[in-house]
Amino acid sequence: MRRIGIALLAAVTLSGALSAAPAQAHGRQRVLGIDHCTATVCHFDVPPGTYDVRVTLGGEAASSTSVAGETRRSLLPETTVAAGERVTRSFTVNVRTPEGEPTGPAGTPGLDLTLGGSAPALAGIRVTPARHARQVILIGDSTVCDQPGDPYSGWGQQLPQYLRKGVSVANYADSGESTVTYLHNPQLWATVQPLIRPGDLVLVQLAHNDKTTDGATYRANLENLVAGIRDRGGEPVLVTPIVRRWFNADGTLNNNTALLVNGLGVDLPAVIRSVAAAEDVPLIDLTAKTKALVESLGVEGSKALYLYNEKRDNTHTSVHGATVYAGLVRDELLALRLVPEGRVRMG
């Protein structure tokens, strides 16, 4: 791997404790150095787990740097630094196999970070195993998942950039899944449930693919997920689905397609709200939030949230749309006091 240009990374240090049992040299902690980064990419040979990353940004010239990792996850929003200045930012990242969708390819072992932004400048980086980090586990479909390729992005893929060190996002959403398939596929619920630790938040948004699920079955499936999360000591949070961008002639979204009323006439968001109330589960009403936003932007303005311009797709979100919707989730996590204010990144 080639070395970083001196002008960009004059003093990168990638320090220790990068595995469950860090290598020791003459009684000292192993230190990984500059050879683990190129001008735009860093790779760390670490096992699956949760890691704190501290980056120092800035250089001789004015800079603007963002950080993404693993399967296109946004980990740090674009951060500007004045010429000659340095700023330090920290975040916590989940490293797993598969690194993206649970039914997808394994991905690259270890932790991979990519520098972006209009003028990236990394002056230092340090990666260490996270201690006592809270996990936010996501269970969902293609509108939530870590999408493998442009132009697609799920809101769960963009959520990490809104969280600071001490909270990690473990996104186990998977394309094409319904409550029925998520519960029955051994790669999904049977794999995810044992990973839930006491105190973890588990956000569940499954509805888009429950197109032929009857109301009683849908309700029972949600109740089973809530009970299974609680059995592990986790805290379930039910999330109603993002709307489909399907306008009526009057500019509203008051139709079955937009509001996720399925082919059997089951109002899926209404069932989610009912289960949340009956089971005393926190609710993030993303259907209501995204409906209000899409209607306020109108037919033309809302196209950028979805992949209408690229794919004539009114269900899946662009990176921009996923980022906006992740911001709505962030706001609700704060409003419900599910994540402390000090662990949330605003703006």
Side-chain angles (χ1 to χ4, degrees):
M1 188 175 287
R2 68 181 179 84
R3 288 182 173 271
I4 306 166
I6 294 175
L8 179 62
L9 286 173
V12 176
T13 58
L14 311 172
S15 52
L18 293 180
S19 67
Q24 303 290 319
H26 305 296
R28 293 179 299 173
Q29 196 175 57
R30 181 185 180 192
V31 176
L32 302 180
I34 197 169
D35 289 338
H36 292 268
C37 286
T38 70
T40 57
V41 174
C42 296
H43 173 76
F44 306 91
D45 251 341
V46 297
T50 306
Y51 295 89
D52 290 331
V53 179
R54 186 179 71 189
V55 294
T56 302
L57 306 176
E60 303 252 337
S63 63
S64 187
T65 309
S66 61
V67 181
E70 299 297 87
T71 304
R72 302 177 60 241
R73 298 181 220 158
S74 294
L75 301 172
L76 186 71
E78 191 157 355
T79 303
T80 58
V81 183
E85 300 289 330
R86 300 287 188 274
V87 299
T88 299
R89 297 286 185 269
S90 297
F91 53 86
T92 300
V93 61
N94 169 261
V95 177
R96 62 182 183 270
T97 303
E99 70 177 36
E101 296 178 87
T103 62
T108 305
L111 171 61
D112 291 286
L113 302 176
T114 304
L115 301 179
S118 58
L122 182 68
I125 186 167
R126 186 171 187 262
V127 179
T128 55
R131 307 297 181 193
H132 312 299
R134 191 179 195 190
Q135 202 168 217
V136 179
I137 294 175
L138 305 181
I139 290 173
D141 52 37
S142 58
T143 67
V144 184
C145 75
D146 287 350
Q147 290 280 1
D150 284 326
Y152 294 89
S153 182
W155 63 254
Q157 201 164 20
Q158 303 301 325
L159 185 61
Q161 67 185 297
Y162 290 119
L163 301 173
R164 298 179 186 273
K165 177 184 174 183
V167 183
S168 70
V169 175
N171 191 351
Y172 289 96
D174 197 73
S175 292
E177 306 301 342
S178 65
T179 57
V180 176
T181 60
Y182 205 98
L183 282 165
H184 289 91
N185 187 333
Q187 292 177 279
L188 299 172
W189 179 235
T191 297
V192 175
Q193 188 190 21
L195 302 176
I196 300 171
R197 306 171 309 195
D200 285 345
L201 283 179
V202 185
L203 276 59
V204 179
Q205 186 214 278
L206 287 167
H208 277 275
N209 299 301
D210 280 280
K211 298 173 183 178
T212 58
T213 308
D214 66 82
T217 299
Y218 186 66
R219 185 181 189 92
N221 289 344
L222 292 175
E223 291 170 343
N224 286 339
L225 286 165
V226 167
I229 292 164
R230 286 175 166 164
D231 285 346
R232 295 289 301 173
E235 184 173 355
V237 180
L238 292 179
V239 183
T240 60
I242 67 170
V243 293
R244 297 190 180 105
R245 185 188 160 278
W246 200 270
F247 282 93
N248 297 325
D250 64 0
T252 67
L253 298 178
N254 297 318
N255 60 77
N256 289 356
T257 300
L259 299 183
L260 283 298
V261 177
N262 75 9
L264 300 181
V266 179
D267 186 333
L268 300 173
V271 176
I272 297 170
R273 296 180 189 111
S274 175
V275 172
E279 299 292 328
D280 194 24
V281 174
L283 173 74
I284 295 177
D285 198 340
L286 208 50
T287 305
K289 295 287 184 182
T290 55
K291 177 180 185 293
L293 177 60
V294 170
E295 287 181 342
S296 72
L297 291 173
V299 174
E300 290 301 318
S302 62
K303 287 179 179 178
L305 295 173
Y306 292 82
L307 294 174
Y308 180 85
N309 293 325
E310 299 87 350
K311 302 283 185 178
R312 294 296 186 269
D313 186 334
N314 292 308
T315 298
H316 297 97
T317 47
S318 62
V319 170
H320 167 66
T323 302
V324 171
Y325 287 175
L328 296 177
V329 174
R330 181 268 318 272
D331 293 345
E332 290 300 291
L333 291 174
L334 267 178
L336 293 167
R337 298 185 178 180
L338 296 172
V339 177
E341 187 174 344
R343 299 295 187 188
V344 174
R345 201 182 308 277
M346 302 304 293

